[in-house]
Amino acid sequence: MSVFKVQTETATVIFEVLTDRRVVITRINSNNLSDADIELKRHMQICEVQITGNNFHHKGVNFVDTSPGSELKYSNHKIEENNFGKLLIIKQHDELKSIEVSNYYQLYDKTSLIRSWVEVTNTSEEHIGIEYVSSFAISGINQFDDLSGNYAEHNEIYVANNNWTSEAQWKKQSLKDVGLDYWVDGEKGQASTKRISINNNSSWSCSEYSPNGILTNTKTGQSAIWQIENNGAWHYELTDIGKGNLLALRLSGPEEIDNSWWKNLLPGESFKTCTVAFSQLNGDFEDAIDELTEYRRLIRRPNRDNKNLAVIFNDYMNGLAGDPTTAKEKSLADAAAKVGCEYFVIDCGWYAPGYWWDSVGEWLPSKERFPNGIEELIKYIRDKGMTPGLWLEIEVIGIKSPIANKLPDDWFFMRHGKRVIDADRYHLDFRNPEVRKFADEVVDRLVEQYGVGYIKMDYNITTGIGTDLNSDSFGDGLLEHNREYIKWIKNVFNRFPELVIENCGSGGMRHDYALMEQHSIQSLTDQTDYVRNGNIASVGATVVTPEQCAVWSYPLKNGDEEEVIYNMTNTMLMRIHQSGLLDQIKGKRLELVTEGIQVYKGFRDKIPDMLPIWPSGLNQLDDQWFSYGLKGNKEIYLAIWRGVSTSDNFEIDLSKYGNIKKVEQIYPVKVVSDATCINKGNVVNIEFKNDKMARLYHIKLK
């Protein structure tokens, strides 16, 4: 047996090569199982690969003890230093030497998160069918100092449920409550068939769940956190392995059983999995999310937008709602400039005189809406000192679009010889170079001819399980399309490095970090109820960094002052997506919008370096009271909301973050008796005398 270790300032990983030349992982950061007995170590394999025609070594449909994954033999390893930290590459092969498997582990100097991916190469002279490849595999998760304990009762899993207008809703349950029991079959000494299986299918990567998870051991105080970085289908599962006394986690992109993915590898051909990220640490869910936040900041494309945090006005939400005209937009532009907005985005509808859903695809301005051309309006916006933007949904062609029937079928997703139709639209296939050329021409026209500096890239339909045209499987076609889309968007940023492209998928339906590694800003939700919008906004920083998380503020036409304050507070610890009919909002209510933006501009430069906190826990939709904050150097910015509650009072303990020196209400600037905040030591006592109130506080620490 031999041991090798990779270590940076923040991460440590230890591997062992057993006497049968299996490579196992015995330590990741705080989870050190180096002293486990050899029978347990035999089930700590670093990769799972299932090849068509090979024997499964277990019962059920989980992805442990795959073949040849569980039998791979060590070939060699190397460690490379790079700008981020260290990259470890471990090569293995199967007994027949028909495949070579390379595990990649990128360790960082500034976060304990480890990025992982796997490449499988066919080294035989036969075709090989790949049904499953893990991007990351660990056995014994969260079991340091609890290896003989009941992992089902000691561990709580946080699952990030996602839904249109109800994004990032984390549910916490013990593994036992979710259905996984400890060491079910002690008599036969084998693992169970149960798995906690979290999947996403189709091209909305977050249609049911965010591609993230957290596991916390309540006995040891150890936490694990992970994310999967794919802009389409993916899978992760928690299950048991060996005799049932080891807890196993498997992270992957699409696979055959759950995602209709299968890959035929030709001789000499390779397949690379999607990247994932994982960490173990001593701490709770909040400490884990802090580490993930630092990691997300390290991997994303460097850009000025995430440093400047410009205030964006968008005409859609509780505003024009897809009915723009030159006159309406000019009036809104006047109001947006007056309150301090720096970008002005014309949302959907600019390309059609009326109903447009099923006719989109040409992306040419409507002459009826803009008689003198859209360039006139864009110039007007620029003359107001704002950068103009346009809405775009580049991946779709409406079934009634003038160009739909002029294009060949290989431009589109196909299944069983027919074009896939979802919600009256065809879906473009970016594997086709002609499609990518068409998309380039559209973007070039918007930027170079019309003069926009911002594109809201929306995505309101899905592909289904994929396409069987020129692909090994439905899921294979989808995965390759998604990868070509990422290459395309990278190329757009290379051509226009100062262009800001907002990632939107009916709100937050695809906030994965395959996309967010490239985009500087993500639309969190399309929730139209401003109170519920606050619920969602308060947990937005769990799924994207605060400086990438755009939240609507849409003062109502006939609302009151507290409603405006609530709307503005929803946005001020992330990115402001200002909307609403500002040209029809008057007096003190409009002044509160201006005031909120001014306050935000006073501290927004700190946000990209601050870490999110949830002193009252991760809230749920319709919670009565909730809070969210950002912590920095001896200071906290804390937003507190009261939705609809039976109590006027709320208490928050901030002891975890330091000792309070001073609490100051910074928005609204004027303190009124209906809202008070008094600290007794490190406990903050809040009284809001009415429902639907919110305030923003600056807390100085000693």
Side-chain angles (χ1 to χ4, degrees), residues 267-286:
E269 190 176 14
S270 297
F271 170 75
K272 185 181 291 185
T273 69
C274 68
T275 58
V276 302
F278 177 86
S279 183
Q280 293 259 193
L281 64 148
N282 290 316
D284 59 14
F285 78 92
E286 200 173 67

PDB file of all heavy atoms in Angstrom, residues 267-286:
ATOM      1  N   PRO A 267     -13.065   3.558 -30.816  1.00  0.00           N
ATOM      2  CA  PRO A 267     -11.656   3.356 -30.462  1.00  0.00           C
ATOM      3  C   PRO A 267     -10.865   4.664 -30.526  1.00  0.00           C
ATOM      4  O   PRO A 267     -10.929   5.405 -31.505  1.00  0.00           O
ATOM      5  CB  PRO A 267     -11.182   2.358 -31.521  1.00  0.00           C
ATOM      6  CG  PRO A 267     -12.404   1.587 -31.886  1.00  0.00           C
ATOM      7  CD  PRO A 267     -13.528   2.596 -31.841  1.00  0.00           C
ATOM      8  N   GLY A 268     -10.163   4.946 -29.448  1.00  0.00           N
ATOM      9  CA  GLY A 268      -9.367   6.163 -29.369  1.00  0.00           C
ATOM     10  C   GLY A 268     -10.140   7.392 -28.932  1.00  0.00           C
ATOM     11  O   GLY A 268      -9.541   8.443 -28.672  1.00  0.00           O
ATOM     12  N   GLU A 269     -11.453   7.300 -28.832  1.00  0.00           N
ATOM     13  CA  GLU A 269     -12.282   8.455 -28.482  1.00  0.00           C
ATOM     14  C   GLU A 269     -12.355   8.616 -26.965  1.00  0.00           C
ATOM     15  O   GLU A 269     -12.267   7.644 -26.215  1.00  0.00           O
ATOM     16  CB  GLU A 269     -13.689   8.275 -29.064  1.00  0.00           C
ATOM     17  CG  GLU A 269     -14.563   9.517 -28.968  1.00  0.00           C
ATOM     18  CD  GLU A 269     -15.920   9.325 -29.633  1.00  0.00           C
ATOM     19  OE1 GLU A 269     -16.293   8.167 -29.941  1.00  0.00           O
ATOM     20  OE2 GLU A 269     -16.618  10.329 -29.853  1.00  0.00           O
ATOM     21  N   SER A 270     -12.539   9.863 -26.533  1.00  0.00           N
ATOM     22  CA  SER A 270     -12.638  10.174 -25.106  1.00  0.00           C
ATOM     23  C   SER A 270     -13.946  10.879 -24.799  1.00  0.00           C
ATOM     24  O   SER A 270     -14.518  11.556 -25.657  1.00  0.00           O
ATOM     25  CB  SER A 270     -11.472  11.066 -24.656  1.00  0.00           C
ATOM     26  OG  SER A 270     -10.232  10.415 -24.803  1.00  0.00           O
ATOM     27  N   PHE A 271     -14.390  10.737 -23.568  1.00  0.00           N
ATOM     28  CA  PHE A 271     -15.547  11.486 -23.075  1.00  0.00           C
ATOM     29  C   PHE A 271     -15.158  12.138 -21.761  1.00  0.00           C
ATOM     30  O   PHE A 271     -14.612  11.487 -20.864  1.00  0.00           O
ATOM     31  CB  PHE A 271     -16.752  10.586 -22.849  1.00  0.00           C
ATOM     32  CG  PHE A 271     -17.881  11.278 -22.125  1.00  0.00           C
ATOM     33  CD1 PHE A 271     -18.675  12.205 -22.791  1.00  0.00           C
ATOM     34  CD2 PHE A 271     -18.110  11.043 -20.778  1.00  0.00           C
ATOM     35  CE1 PHE A 271     -19.688  12.878 -22.120  1.00  0.00           C
ATOM     36  CE2 PHE A 271     -19.130  11.705 -20.100  1.00  0.00           C
ATOM     37  CZ  PHE A 271     -19.927  12.629 -20.773  1.00  0.00           C
ATOM     38  N   LYS A 272     -15.458  13.450 -21.651  1.00  0.00           N
ATOM     39  CA  LYS A 272     -15.172  14.198 -20.434  1.00  0.00           C
ATOM     40  C   LYS A 272     -16.478  14.545 -19.745  1.00  0.00           C
ATOM     41  O   LYS A 272     -17.412  15.051 -20.357  1.00  0.00           O
ATOM     42  CB  LYS A 272     -14.387  15.474 -20.757  1.00  0.00           C
ATOM     43  CG  LYS A 272     -13.932  16.253 -19.529  1.00  0.00           C
ATOM     44  CD  LYS A 272     -13.188  17.524 -19.920  1.00  0.00           C
ATOM     45  CE  LYS A 272     -11.860  17.206 -20.556  1.00  0.00           C
ATOM     46  NZ  LYS A 272     -11.073  18.442 -20.829  1.00  0.00           N
ATOM     47  N   THR A 273     -16.567  14.288 -18.460  1.00  0.00           N
ATOM     48  CA  THR A 273     -17.780  14.592 -17.700  1.00  0.00           C
ATOM     49  C   THR A 273     -17.902  16.093 -17.472  1.00  0.00           C
ATOM     50  O   THR A 273     -16.963  16.867 -17.693  1.00  0.00           O
ATOM     51  CB  THR A 273     -17.762  13.902 -16.327  1.00  0.00           C
ATOM     52  OG1 THR A 273     -16.751  14.507 -15.505  1.00  0.00           O
ATOM     53  CG2 THR A 273     -17.502  12.405 -16.457  1.00  0.00           C
ATOM     54  N   CYS A 274     -19.048  16.509 -16.987  1.00  0.00           N
ATOM     55  CA  CYS A 274     -19.194  17.892 -16.521  1.00  0.00           C
ATOM     56  C   CYS A 274     -18.386  18.060 -15.239  1.00  0.00           C
ATOM     57  O   CYS A 274     -18.056  17.082 -14.550  1.00  0.00           O
ATOM     58  CB  CYS A 274     -20.662  18.226 -16.282  1.00  0.00           C
ATOM     59  SG  CYS A 274     -21.409  17.340 -14.905  1.00  0.00           S
ATOM     60  N   THR A 275     -18.046  19.277 -14.918  1.00  0.00           N
ATOM     61  CA  THR A 275     -17.322  19.548 -13.678  1.00  0.00           C
ATOM     62  C   THR A 275     -18.301  19.636 -12.517  1.00  0.00           C
ATOM     63  O   THR A 275     -19.477  19.988 -12.680  1.00  0.00           O
ATOM     64  CB  THR A 275     -16.523  20.852 -13.768  1.00  0.00           C
ATOM     65  OG1 THR A 275     -17.421  21.931 -14.068  1.00  0.00           O
ATOM     66  CG2 THR A 275     -15.452  20.767 -14.840  1.00  0.00           C
ATOM     67  N   VAL A 276     -17.793  19.296 -11.335  1.00  0.00           N
ATOM     68  CA  VAL A 276     -18.551  19.441 -10.100  1.00  0.00           C
ATOM     69  C   VAL A 276     -17.606  20.017  -9.061  1.00  0.00           C
ATOM     70  O   VAL A 276     -16.390  20.081  -9.262  1.00  0.00           O
ATOM     71  CB  VAL A 276     -19.137  18.091  -9.617  1.00  0.00           C
ATOM     72  CG1 VAL A 276     -20.038  17.476 -10.686  1.00  0.00           C
ATOM     73  CG2 VAL A 276     -18.030  17.115  -9.229  1.00  0.00           C
ATOM     74  N   ALA A 277     -18.159  20.426  -7.945  1.00  0.00           N
ATOM     75  CA  ALA A 277     -17.336  20.946  -6.858  1.00  0.00           C
ATOM     76  C   ALA A 277     -17.825  20.350  -5.547  1.00  0.00           C
ATOM     77  O   ALA A 277     -19.026  20.135  -5.359  1.00  0.00           O
ATOM     78  CB  ALA A 277     -17.404  22.470  -6.801  1.00  0.00           C
ATOM     79  N   PHE A 278     -16.866  20.098  -4.645  1.00  0.00           N
ATOM     80  CA  PHE A 278     -17.202  19.429  -3.383  1.00  0.00           C
ATOM     81  C   PHE A 278     -16.258  19.903  -2.293  1.00  0.00           C
ATOM     82  O   PHE A 278     -15.079  20.168  -2.538  1.00  0.00           O
ATOM     83  CB  PHE A 278     -17.083  17.912  -3.542  1.00  0.00           C
ATOM     84  CG  PHE A 278     -17.333  17.149  -2.270  1.00  0.00           C
ATOM     85  CD1 PHE A 278     -18.619  16.802  -1.900  1.00  0.00           C
ATOM     86  CD2 PHE A 278     -16.269  16.782  -1.445  1.00  0.00           C
ATOM     87  CE1 PHE A 278     -18.852  16.105  -0.724  1.00  0.00           C
ATOM     88  CE2 PHE A 278     -16.503  16.092  -0.261  1.00  0.00           C
ATOM     89  CZ  PHE A 278     -17.797  15.743   0.090  1.00  0.00           C
ATOM     90  N   SER A 279     -16.786  19.955  -1.078  1.00  0.00           N
ATOM     91  CA  SER A 279     -15.925  20.227   0.076  1.00  0.00           C
ATOM     92  C   SER A 279     -16.487  19.576   1.328  1.00  0.00           C
ATOM     93  O   SER A 279     -17.699  19.363   1.451  1.00  0.00           O
ATOM     94  CB  SER A 279     -15.788  21.731   0.332  1.00  0.00           C
ATOM     95  OG  SER A 279     -14.898  21.966   1.423  1.00  0.00           O
ATOM     96  N   GLN A 280     -15.588  19.233   2.234  1.00  0.00           N
ATOM     97  CA  GLN A 280     -15.913  18.864   3.616  1.00  0.00           C
ATOM     98  C   GLN A 280     -15.273  19.907   4.521  1.00  0.00           C
ATOM     99  O   GLN A 280     -14.159  20.370   4.253  1.00  0.00           O
ATOM    100  CB  GLN A 280     -15.353  17.489   3.955  1.00  0.00           C
ATOM    101  CG  GLN A 280     -15.990  16.360   3.208  1.00  0.00           C
ATOM    102  CD  GLN A 280     -17.027  15.600   4.021  1.00  0.00           C
ATOM    103  OE1 GLN A 280     -17.447  14.547   3.634  1.00  0.00           O
ATOM    104  NE2 GLN A 280     -17.463  16.156   5.130  1.00  0.00           N
ATOM    105  N   LEU A 281     -15.964  20.261   5.592  1.00  0.00           N
ATOM    106  CA  LEU A 281     -15.413  21.238   6.511  1.00  0.00           C
ATOM    107  C   LEU A 281     -16.066  21.098   7.870  1.00  0.00           C
ATOM    108  O   LEU A 281     -17.156  20.526   8.000  1.00  0.00           O
ATOM    109  CB  LEU A 281     -15.624  22.660   5.994  1.00  0.00           C
ATOM    110  CG  LEU A 281     -17.072  23.139   5.862  1.00  0.00           C
ATOM    111  CD1 LEU A 281     -17.172  24.626   6.126  1.00  0.00           C
ATOM    112  CD2 LEU A 281     -17.615  22.844   4.465  1.00  0.00           C
ATOM    113  N   ASN A 282     -15.410  21.628   8.847  1.00  0.00           N
ATOM    114  CA  ASN A 282     -16.013  21.721  10.175  1.00  0.00           C
ATOM    115  C   ASN A 282     -16.826  23.001  10.224  1.00  0.00           C
ATOM    116  O   ASN A 282     -16.283  24.095  10.074  1.00  0.00           O
ATOM    117  CB  ASN A 282     -14.933  21.730  11.260  1.00  0.00           C
ATOM    118  CG  ASN A 282     -14.245  20.391  11.394  1.00  0.00           C
ATOM    119  OD1 ASN A 282     -14.895  19.352  11.395  1.00  0.00           O
ATOM    120  ND2 ASN A 282     -12.921  20.404  11.499  1.00  0.00           N
ATOM    121  N   GLY A 283     -18.136  22.865  10.400  1.00  0.00           N
ATOM    122  CA  GLY A 283     -19.003  24.028  10.417  1.00  0.00           C
ATOM    123  C   GLY A 283     -20.405  23.667   9.999  1.00  0.00           C
ATOM    124  O   GLY A 283     -20.701  22.511   9.665  1.00  0.00           O
ATOM    125  N   ASP A 284     -21.287  24.672  10.010  1.00  0.00           N
ATOM    126  CA  ASP A 284     -22.688  24.432   9.691  1.00  0.00           C
ATOM    127  C   ASP A 284     -22.978  24.782   8.232  1.00  0.00           C
ATOM    128  O   ASP A 284     -22.066  25.045   7.440  1.00  0.00           O
ATOM    129  CB  ASP A 284     -23.606  25.219  10.634  1.00  0.00           C
ATOM    130  CG  ASP A 284     -23.380  26.731  10.579  1.00  0.00           C
ATOM    131  OD1 ASP A 284     -22.708  27.204   9.620  1.00  0.00           O
ATOM    132  OD2 ASP A 284     -23.879  27.445  11.467  1.00  0.00           O
ATOM    133  N   PHE A 285     -24.268  24.790   7.866  1.00  0.00           N
ATOM    134  CA  PHE A 285     -24.663  25.054   6.484  1.00  0.00           C
ATOM    135  C   PHE A 285     -24.175  26.424   6.011  1.00  0.00           C
ATOM    136  O   PHE A 285     -23.806  26.603   4.852  1.00  0.00           O
ATOM    137  CB  PHE A 285     -26.184  24.968   6.333  1.00  0.00           C
ATOM    138  CG  PHE A 285     -26.931  26.181   6.835  1.00  0.00           C
ATOM    139  CD1 PHE A 285     -27.243  27.229   5.976  1.00  0.00           C
ATOM    140  CD2 PHE A 285     -27.295  26.292   8.168  1.00  0.00           C
ATOM    141  CE1 PHE A 285     -27.906  28.356   6.423  1.00  0.00           C
ATOM    142  CE2 PHE A 285     -27.969  27.418   8.630  1.00  0.00           C
ATOM    143  CZ  PHE A 285     -28.281  28.453   7.759  1.00  0.00           C
ATOM    144  N   GLU A 286     -24.162  27.386   6.918  1.00  0.00           N
ATOM    145  CA  GLU A 286     -23.769  28.747   6.558  1.00  0.00           C
ATOM    146  C   GLU A 286     -22.277  28.816   6.248  1.00  0.00           C
ATOM    147  O   GLU A 286     -21.853  29.462   5.270  1.00  0.00           O
ATOM    148  CB  GLU A 286     -24.114  29.676   7.717  1.00  0.00           C
ATOM    149  CG  GLU A 286     -24.212  31.128   7.373  1.00  0.00           C
ATOM    150  CD  GLU A 286     -24.732  31.929   8.543  1.00  0.00           C
ATOM    151  OE1 GLU A 286     -24.014  32.029   9.566  1.00  0.00           O
ATOM    152  OE2 GLU A 286     -25.860  32.425   8.447  1.00  0.00           O
TER     153      GLU A 286
END
